[in-house]
Amino acid sequence: MSETPLWLQGRTAVIDATDSSAWRDGTTPDYHLSHQVMPGQRTTQHAPDSLEAVVETIVQVFEMEVSYKKDPATWVSMVTEHFRTNVNGGPWASAQDIADIGSYNILIGESPFYKTGQESFESSHHIFHQAFPGGFYWEVLEVLSPPPVVTFKWRHWGAFEGEYHGHQPNGQTIEMFGISVAKVSDDLKLLEVEHYYDPNQFLGKLTGGCPVAH
């Protein structure tokens, strides 16, 4: 048996250890596209035991859990009762807030290109899965400070091949870049994460720079 904590073993290990009743729609998440497509599109390669690789694994598990596990009590990537997150110094959101509102709504916030208050957890995920049918990938570019306060640069990208709020796709790869500051526990569970990036720069590329009309 591995001595590595479950949340540091990666998404596949966490999925295998999760009871089927924990998934939102009863369906186990499928990351085959990440295994097939992402290696050829990423811009960084990290040694397996490097801090960059560890941080990437933690965030990938976190993203999987908040997207597919309905009860924060089953999330192993964080200290759920203490966890909080915000974007660009905005209001803090708890683990339960993410479960109720949705990670896209929490992490994008209000934008002229995206109306958080008009999207549910389910609709927000549908919008971006539809816009990026070939996958929407994420990688750590560089880790700037070690635990317990981990500061890291990241890249998020995907091919815009599906409709976004009535705007037709152009097939181009859409990228966004940001910096996050994560406070972690002694066993590397997330306690607090602050994200800094410009969501409008990314969303504007999906709309041709034209705010979505509602």
Side-chain angles (χ1 to χ4, degrees):
M1 179 175 291
S2 174
E3 295 180 3
T4 303
L6 180 60
W7 53 95
L8 300 183
Q9 293 179 38
R11 287 183 299 215
T12 299
V14 175
I15 289 170
D16 290 344
T18 299
D19 188 270
S20 59
S21 63
W23 305 118
R24 272 189 179 271
D25 58 1
T27 303
T28 304
D30 179 2
Y31 285 98
H32 78 278
L33 283 176
S34 289
H35 300 305
Q36 294 174 1
V37 178
M38 182 177 168
Q41 295 187 357
R42 62 181 304 142
T43 61
T44 56
Q45 302 294 333
H46 307 306
D49 295 327
S50 66
L51 185 54
E52 284 80 6
V54 171
V55 171
E56 194 167 274
T57 295
I58 295 170
V59 175
Q60 286 177 339
V61 171
F62 165 79
E63 183 277 331
M64 181 271 291
E65 293 194 302
V66 302
S67 297
Y68 294 102
K69 286 184 174 182
K70 57 194 174 188
D71 183 0
T74 67
W75 299 353
V76 300
S77 57
M78 66 178 71
V79 182
T80 307
E81 62 272 23
H82 294 295
F83 182 80
R84 64 178 188 168
T85 188
N86 71 5
V87 176
N88 298 329
W92 291 101
S94 67
Q96 192 61 55
D97 290 332
I98 296 175
D100 293 340
I101 300 170
S103 54
Y104 283 113
N105 289 329
I106 293 289
L107 297 177
I108 293 176
E110 282 299 329
S111 163
F113 306 103
Y114 180 87
K115 302 301 181 184
T116 293
Q118 298 179 17
E119 303 297 346
S120 66
F121 184 107
E122 290 76 17
S123 71
S124 67
H125 278 256
H126 172 73
I127 286 168
F128 289 101
H129 288 170
Q130 179 175 266
F132 298 100
F136 195 31
Y137 306 107
W138 186 92
E139 66 175 332
V140 167
L141 298 177
E142 183 181 4
V143 175
L144 303 175
S145 62
V149 181
V150 186
T151 305
F152 54 97
K153 297 179 180 179
W154 50 263
R155 169 182 175 245
H156 215 342
W157 80 95
F160 180 26
E161 297 175 331
E163 183 180 300
Y164 175 78
H165 267 309
H167 295 271
Q168 296 307 305
N170 57 20
Q172 295 181 357
T173 296
I174 307 295
E175 295 179 300
M176 61 176 164
F177 299 87
I179 291 179
S180 296
V181 182
K183 294 181 179 179
V184 297
S185 62
D186 291 343
D187 56 359
L188 300 184
K189 284 193 173 188
L190 296 170
L191 296 168
E192 176 182 300
V193 186
E194 298 176 85
H195 303 285
Y196 298 93
Y197 80 107
D198 182 1
N200 294 327
Q201 185 178 37
F202 157 70
L203 294 168
K205 294 175 182 176
L206 300 179
T207 61
C210 174
V212 177
H214 285 270

